[in-house]
Amino acid sequence: MCLKLEMLSDEKYYNNKKFYKITYGLHLPESNMSSQIIPVYFKKYYCPRNNYDDDKLKSAQLELLEFRNFIYEFKEGSNIQEGVDIISSMVCQILDNNEKENIVFIPIPASSKEKTEQRLKEFSESVAKKMGCVDGYGIFYNKKYRKPIRYGGIDLTESNFNEYIGINESKCDVLKEKDIILFDDIITKGNSLKLYSAKLKKMGANNIIGVFFGRTYNPRFQIILNNIGEMYDKRGII
């Protein structure tokens, strides 16, 4: 199966809600539908350390450095409650008055079983409880360790997905005709969004929404680092 994730509309910033929206189309060759529309929401831009050191980022925009620190701390299992507050607030604004009991919150696993549990178990349970939806932690689980790309690891693909990621078949029934909130800390190219969304659709999920803390900053966004603070202020990014 050859999946395709196509960006249908690039970022749109909502000043009243303080987050962004991107719309993707997921093309599923095995589906009768031509595509599945997946709206994606994120809070801020994320500048990786390998491209932007602390000093340069601090001089350009302190809040971007603070946000990056939050992301790294969250990855290590800290700042869980702050993460819960950010995501639950975003989701409640996105869903408005939708029936939360028909929604399943599913976090995308980290690189290892230990990291997934440390980072996401309490977080997912707390987000689901705060929103009044179903906690989908554990529907996807780590079969074996996969070295993160930022440390020279390999990317997750259609061909190796089942090697690294398992699906808890006993929990799949809860997904049928349910709307899904699919969470990860950062979205870059949308590869994980594509792979996990395709699996969820195959398991009978209805609509899928992607929610992330941040989107990786890329030079193609036409923001020069030296002017990043000015550009961000003008566009209301922070």
Side-chain angles (χ1 to χ4, degrees):
M1 179 173 66
C2 184
L3 300 171
K4 180 182 177 184
L5 189 69
E6 177 186 9
M7 183 182 290
L8 302 179
S9 65
D10 206 345
E11 62 178 48
K12 179 179 180 181
Y13 186 71
Y14 294 87
N15 278 300
N16 59 327
K17 297 180 179 180
K18 304 298 181 184
F19 56 71
Y20 290 88
K21 178 182 179 180
I22 310 170
T23 305
Y24 289 95
L26 175 66
H27 300 272
L28 302 165
E30 296 179 355
S31 172
N32 292 327
M33 298 181 297
S34 58
S35 66
Q36 165 74 36
I37 305 301
I38 302 178
V40 165
Y41 302 86
F42 68 96
K43 187 72 174 174
K44 294 184 180 182
Y45 277 98
Y46 168 73
C47 299
R49 282 178 178 163
N50 59 338
N51 293 326
Y52 307 98
D53 64 40
D54 286 3
D55 290 338
K56 286 185 178 180
L57 196 58
K58 184 176 181 179
S59 64
Q61 183 57 271
L62 180 60
E63 289 194 51
L64 294 180
L65 178 59
E66 292 173 344
F67 179 64
R68 182 170 71 189
N69 290 340
F70 159 74
I71 295 296
Y72 275 89
E73 289 169 5
F74 180 84
K75 288 178 179 293
E76 295 303 319
S78 301
N79 288 338
I80 298 298
Q81 189 55 54
E82 183 179 351
V84 170
D85 293 342
I86 290 171
I87 295 302
S88 58
S89 175
M90 287 176 65
V91 171
C92 285
Q93 292 181 78
I94 293 163
L95 298 177
D96 293 326
N97 295 319
N98 289 13
E99 294 182 1
K100 306 296 193 304
E101 63 271 17
N102 290 322
I103 293 168
V104 184
F105 182 81
I106 300 178
I108 290 176
S111 57
S112 69
K113 178 181 178 181
E114 294 72 23
K115 287 290 185 182
T116 297
E117 184 169 343
Q118 176 190 49
R119 187 185 305 172
L120 297 171
K121 186 175 182 180
E122 178 188 347
F123 169 77
S124 183
E125 180 182 359
S126 298
V127 170
K129 183 176 180 180
K130 192 166 185 176
M131 294 194 313
C133 66
V134 177
D135 179 11
Y137 175 85
I139 288 177
F140 294 107
Y141 64 90
N142 302 87
K143 282 186 176 180
K144 68 178 186 179
Y145 173 73
R146 180 172 57 88
K147 190 176 182 179
I149 296 175
R150 67 181 182 275
Y151 298 131
I154 62 172
D155 203 359
L156 199 62
T157 65
E158 292 176 64
S159 60
N160 68 19
F161 186 95
N162 294 331
E163 178 183 355
Y164 291 99
I165 304 297
I167 298 173
N168 190 335
E169 300 292 342
S170 66
K171 293 187 176 183
C172 289
D173 284 346
V174 75
L175 300 176
K176 291 181 179 178
E177 299 184 3
K178 290 290 198 303
D179 291 337
I180 307 297
I181 301 292
L182 188 61
F183 165 82
D184 204 354
D185 48 14
I186 299 296
I187 183 169
T188 302
K189 297 178 182 178
N191 188 56
S192 293
L193 175 72
K194 174 180 69 175
L195 296 172
Y196 284 94
S197 295
K199 294 291 183 181
L200 288 166
K201 291 301 295 182
K202 194 171 183 179
M203 288 187 281
N206 192 13
N207 299 309
I208 298 171
I209 296 173
V211 178
F212 301 80
F213 289 133
R215 182 187 187 189
T216 301
Y217 168 77
N218 189 304
R220 73 178 181 81
F221 297 154
Q222 304 300 313
I223 301 176
I224 300 173
L225 182 61
N226 291 336
N227 298 322
I228 198 168
E230 179 184 354
M231 294 293 292
Y232 269 46
D233 289 340
K234 285 181 179 179
R235 299 173 62 188
I237 290 178
I238 293 177

